Amino acid sequence: MAFWKKQKASVQFFIALALALALGAGLSIPAWALYVQSRDLGSGGVGGEAQAGTPVAQSIAEMEALDHFAVHAVQTAWDDQESFYLLNDYYKVVTLDSGERIAMRYNIEADQYEPGEDSWTSPIGVWRPWELTDRERAILAREDPELTTTDYYADMLGNRESALDRSVFAIYFIVACTSAVLVVLMVLQILLKKWERNKAEITRPKSDLELWLVGTYAIWAQFYAGLFPGGEDAARKGPFYIGARPRTPEIVEAMKGTLDESWDITSYGDLLETVEYMSVGPGFQNCIDQAGRAWELCRSMQLLGCAYLVEWCSREEMVRRSCEVGRIIQNTFQSWDELCQGFLDGFAAWRLSSGLVPEVAREYVQQRADIYWAIKGRKDSPYNLPWRMELDPGKK
């Protein structure tokens, strides 16, 4: 079983990974479009080839007035333009038709040559403030002292130098998206497990009143808990639960199976009929000793707890009905010890009459007695609560 659980987790992981990869691949297409738009990399963007409608700037004033522009230069003049590097950025220097001399951060891959006019058209640019330190201005003055302005430059490269190409972007995006999806799924799984644990713990007693009610069938409840993972430790040291176990899908199905197979109970109506028969009907009235009465009444409380466990009734209804039976128990017995001894005697009588070999039957009885003494010795034992506790649902 443990091996299958490990395999199941691996299969679930690879399914999640495949779905995450598929999602990442599908989203990479619109993500690329958004990336191009946000980085101004598309047609008409800074550093791209000039378009038919791109205005041509002939002076600094026109550059200041235009959002985007290009610059024309004849072949001979363009070839003669100077260039320089400033802190690893490449700049061309060009003299505009106005005679003004400016620096251009330049994408040389977006030049366009017009053979018929023997001229070049620059990439698309914008006029940007040039934020330079004193040291950088000193370098610039040495490189080209005749610039008309060192407060602005024409940016004809934009984000293209640092931009990812489409294939690299797709790889990065798919990896990032897949990782994000896996993280989200992991967080959701953690939250789901936490929710399941909280839901399971809903059968823990929340008050002394509820613990008192559970105490009437705690011997059986802890035995039942020992049938699941944890075994003897769960039976002797495990938490007390209404209906014996946490509420999980597996436990609910197991308990419904127990009710059907051991009690012939398949509905809440069947269960209430059985409780009535054992607590106030012939099952209780025909008892001739305390062992029989304890056997009937404790199992009535047990069934009401099971009804809540399998979600056949609300917590409020379970407490109300259990208090009704609990008051009968208080009027029938004088103490926890008398009730539990009566239950053990009733269990022994039932086991010895069930056709088991006497030695085997006595082993079962001793097992329940050992559980009783283990419960009795616990600090959180319901048997530490007052026997005559007021069983009033309104004061729980």
Side-chain angles (χ1 to χ4, degrees):
M1 182 63 70
F3 173 78
W4 165 242
K5 286 184 178 179
K6 290 182 180 179
Q7 294 297 103
K8 182 180 180 182
S10 298
V11 170
Q12 289 176 336
F13 171 77
F14 283 111
I15 290 175
L17 178 61
L19 292 175
L21 286 170
L23 180 63
L27 291 177
S28 67
I29 297 174
W32 170 252
L34 291 174
Y35 177 75
V36 168
Q37 182 179 0
S38 65
R39 302 278 289 178
D40 199 15
L41 303 174
S43 177
V46 176
E49 292 187 352
Q51 307 295 303
T54 303
V56 176
Q58 297 178 337
S59 67
I60 291 177
E62 291 180 356
M63 290 180 175
E64 291 175 342
L66 294 170
D67 290 332
H68 291 74
F69 55 80
V71 173
H72 283 328
V74 297
Q75 176 68 49
T76 53
W78 198 258
D79 283 346
D80 291 339
Q81 298 307 317
E82 300 173 11
S83 62
F84 61 87
Y85 282 92
L86 182 62
L87 298 181
N88 298 322
D89 278 332
Y90 173 74
Y91 293 85
K92 270 183 173 290
V93 178
V94 65
T95 300
L96 303 174
D97 292 345
S98 63
E100 297 165 304
R101 188 176 172 87
I102 65 167
M104 300 186 300
R105 186 167 172 259
Y106 205 79
N107 179 18
I108 59 176
E109 296 180 357
D111 276 342
Q112 297 181 73
Y113 176 60
E114 297 293 338
E117 300 178 4
D118 195 27
S119 66
W120 287 88
T121 300
S122 73
I124 296 172
V126 292
W127 193 237
R128 294 196 191 280
W130 213 348
E131 298 176 357
L132 302 174
T133 65
D134 291 341
R135 176 174 174 272
E136 291 166 348
R137 289 188 183 281
I139 294 173
L140 185 57
R142 183 179 67 247
E143 292 289 341
D144 198 311
E146 297 181 2
L147 287 174
T148 302
T149 180
T150 58
D151 293 327
Y152 290 85
Y153 70 98
D155 184 2
M156 295 181 173
L157 178 60
N159 296 311
R160 294 174 189 271
E161 192 171 51
S162 61
L164 302 173
D165 65 34
R166 185 163 188 170
S167 59
V168 173
F169 173 85
I171 293 172
Y172 284 178
F173 181 84
I174 291 172
V175 170
C177 185
T178 300
S179 301
V181 170
L182 291 178
V183 168
V184 169
L185 290 176
M186 182 176 66
V187 171
L188 290 176
Q189 187 176 33
I190 292 172
L191 293 176
L192 178 60
K193 287 183 177 180
K194 183 177 180 180
W195 177 81
E196 288 177 343
R197 284 196 299 270
N198 291 339
K199 188 173 185 291
E201 291 298 299
I202 199 170
T203 56
R204 288 289 296 274
K206 294 182 178 180
S207 64
D208 285 349
L209 172 59
E210 292 183 354
L211 183 59
W212 194 100
L213 300 176
V214 170
T216 61
Y217 57 90
I219 297 173
W220 166 82
Q222 297 308 102
F223 162 77
Y224 189 80
L227 300 178
F228 294 85
E232 186 174 341
D233 280 346
R236 296 177 182 239
K237 303 177 183 178
F240 298 108
Y241 289 99
I242 299 170
R245 295 292 290 155
R247 183 188 286 166
T248 67
E250 297 78 13
I251 294 298
V252 169
E253 288 305 308
M255 182 57 73
K256 286 182 177 180
T258 297
L259 292 172
D260 184 10
E261 296 169 9
S262 300
W263 292 86
D264 197 26
I265 291 175
T266 59
S267 68
Y268 188 41
D270 292 343
L271 186 142
L272 292 180
E273 287 181 7
T274 304
V275 169
E276 182 177 4
Y277 177 87
M278 294 193 301
S279 61
V280 295
F284 176 70
Q285 295 171 359
N286 293 335
C287 290
I288 60 175
D289 54 25
Q290 292 292 75
R293 296 183 187 97
W295 183 240
E296 296 294 295
L297 292 173
C298 289
R299 291 188 303 151
S300 296
M301 297 287 272
Q302 166 192 327
L303 288 178
L304 290 171
C306 293
Y308 174 66
L309 171 65
V310 300
E311 298 184 90
W312 282 351
C313 68
S314 67
R315 194 183 197 102
E316 291 73 21
E317 182 172 357
M318 177 276 299
V319 170
R320 178 179 61 79
R321 290 184 180 277
S322 297
C323 283
E324 293 173 358
V325 179
R327 287 190 286 271
I328 297 173
I329 291 175
Q330 286 179 326
N331 292 331
T332 306
F333 300 91
Q334 301 304 308
S335 67
W336 283 113
D337 287 338
E338 185 184 6
L339 174 69
C340 292
Q341 188 58 57
F343 174 80
L344 291 172
D345 290 342
F347 175 74
W350 173 71
R351 266 304 180 196
L352 290 170
S353 66
S354 62
L356 289 176
V357 176
E359 291 77 8
V360 175
R362 282 193 287 271
E363 288 181 4
Y364 279 116
V365 174
Q366 186 59 51
Q367 181 187 33
R368 299 294 177 100
D370 290 343
I371 291 175
Y372 163 66
W373 286 107
I375 296 173
K376 189 176 175 66
R378 290 173 55 164
K379 292 182 179 180
D380 61 345
S381 173
Y383 307 148
N384 293 329
L385 296 172
W387 173 251
R388 293 296 177 185
M389 174 185 287
E390 184 179 7
L391 303 184
D392 183 351
K395 296 183 180 180
K396 67 175 181 176

